Amino acid sequence: MQPSMKSPDAYPSRAATRNGSSVKWFLLFWLIVIAAGGFAVYSYTNHLKDQVLEQLAAQNRQQLAAVQADYEKKLSVLSEEVNDLQDKVQSFNELLTFTKDNASTKTDNSNKLYTQLSEVRKQLDALQKEMDLLK
């Protein structure tokens, strides 16, 4: 019996266990690092996406406000022009009525007034169409 002569493979299970557990811990560590990196990338891309969407929404709101202000400005200008033309038509109608009432057989100025009135009505209709297009 040779008591102290043991080969290096005498305790193979203990050496394999130590190497196996360290490899397992190493692989587990790297899996955790990779998973954390993937989660960080996912979170960062969502954060960037939210920022871009917020910026686009703010830009859209700003552009919409500018378009709405321009629309309201044009609409108010056209409304003023329509009101002015309506006032002119009303005054022409009054003048025409007065002229018809006071017309004699010798003078007939009503044709001139009718011509002016029709021109004003044409302008009024054109402005009304423009106003309808803006709405």
Side-chain angles (χ1 to χ4, degrees):
M1 277 193 135
Q2 296 177 350
S4 41
M5 290 295 270
K6 290 192 176 181
S7 66
D9 293 335
Y11 302 106
S13 63
R14 186 172 181 181
T17 305
R18 184 174 281 165
N19 286 340
S21 68
S22 66
V23 169
K24 287 179 187 175
W25 282 111
F26 181 75
L27 289 175
L28 181 64
F29 171 76
W30 278 109
L31 284 174
I32 290 172
V33 167
I34 290 170
F39 178 73
V41 167
Y42 177 76
S43 298
Y44 185 67
T45 55
N46 279 341
H47 174 70
L48 286 178
K49 181 180 74 171
D50 291 342
Q51 276 185 340
V52 168
L53 288 175
E54 185 178 315
Q55 288 174 351
L56 284 174
Q59 186 179 12
N60 284 341
R61 283 191 300 270
Q62 187 180 24
Q63 288 176 349
L64 184 61
V67 167
Q68 186 175 7
D70 185 46
Y71 170 78
E72 288 176 356
K73 186 174 97 176
K74 286 182 180 179
L75 189 61
S76 66
V77 167
L78 282 176
S79 294
E80 289 175 9
E81 288 179 5
V82 166
N83 287 337
D84 289 344
L85 282 175
Q86 284 178 343
D87 290 341
K88 287 181 183 179
V89 167
Q90 183 64 31
S91 66
F92 279 134
N93 278 337
E94 290 173 2
L95 183 60
L96 183 62
T97 303
F98 176 76
T99 306
K100 276 177 132 182
D101 290 342
N102 294 329
S104 67
T105 57
K106 294 182 181 177
T107 59
D108 189 14
N109 292 329
S110 61
N111 287 336
K112 291 179 184 177
L113 289 175
Y114 279 121
T115 305
Q116 290 175 351
L117 183 60
S118 73
E119 289 175 9
V120 170
R121 284 194 188 259
K122 286 179 187 177
Q123 290 177 354
L124 181 62
D125 290 339
L127 282 174
Q128 188 67 35
K129 286 179 185 177
E130 286 181 27
M131 201 165 146
D132 289 340
L133 288 176
L134 284 177
K135 288 182 182 181

